[in-house]
Amino acid sequence: MYHISADKRSINSADLAYKALKKLLQTRSFKEINVTDIVKSARIGRATFYRCFDSIEDILRYRCDQAYIQCGNYLLQILLNDEIHSIDETFILPFLNYWDANSEIIELIIQCGHENFINTAFVAMIESLRKVYPEVDIPNYNYFIAMRSALATAVLIEWVKSGKDLTPQALSSLYINQRLIDMELLNQSLTYVNSK
């Protein structure tokens, strides 16, 4: 777990640890990096590291959570400031636009093999957005959050792994049209089976 207070020194120490980890990952695998490497590269004390983090993984968790807080704020601003036309314009397109410009932490988490941090941060983001609108009732909320987080996280991870080879608009269209694609695949399968 991480323990970053609102104190500027604590935030600065966490940022230095993140920058050190990022730099070390350019020449070593995540498994080869230890706390001594981080504190030496960050020029922070070992005690400072442990005041902020319990483990090196916590550096990634913290940075991912911070990025998702910013993503949630961005999505909320889109919702509050723009005319709402469709689901792609209120969630998936802004979500992809945000990560198109801010994917560094996602790339590092994938490189380190801790993709589960992304899903956890996504769920926390949705929970914080839900608190903004407590009167909104979402039927079967546990399934809603499970499906939304699984799909959005899987799409984001695959997109980043693929070098963001599609534009956010193209990927948003693919995401929204998935049901139509499923129906087309079903029709093709049935045609093939019936032709035999």
Side-chain angles (χ1 to χ4, degrees), residues 87-106:
I87 185 67
D88 59 323
E89 293 171 328
T90 59
F91 172 68
I92 193 62
L93 183 56
F95 178 77
L96 293 171
N97 282 333
Y98 174 83
W99 290 111
D100 191 34
N102 299 285
S103 63
E104 176 183 87
I105 185 59
I106 303 299

Side-chain angles (χ1 to χ4, degrees), residues 114-188:
H114 287 289
E115 287 96 344
N116 58 313
F117 296 170
I118 300 168
N119 190 64
T120 302
F122 181 92
V123 170
M125 177 191 74
I126 295 296
E127 290 292 340
S128 69
L129 290 174
R130 187 175 186 212
K131 289 176 185 174
V132 175
Y133 297 102
E135 69 282 353
V136 174
D137 180 41
I138 302 173
N140 302 305
Y141 179 74
N142 56 327
Y143 293 109
F144 167 81
I145 195 72
M147 287 186 269
R148 178 62 64 95
S149 65
L151 189 55
T153 299
V155 168
L156 176 61
I157 290 169
E158 186 57 36
W159 185 47
V160 170
K161 282 182 178 179
S162 298
K164 296 188 283 185
D165 57 342
L166 297 175
T167 66
Q169 185 65 51
L171 188 52
S172 176
S173 295
L174 185 62
Y175 182 95
I176 297 301
N177 293 321
Q178 193 62 48
R179 250 181 91 106
L180 296 173
I181 294 167
D182 288 346
M183 290 303 296
E184 178 58 31
L185 290 173
L186 176 62
N187 287 336
Q188 288 178 29

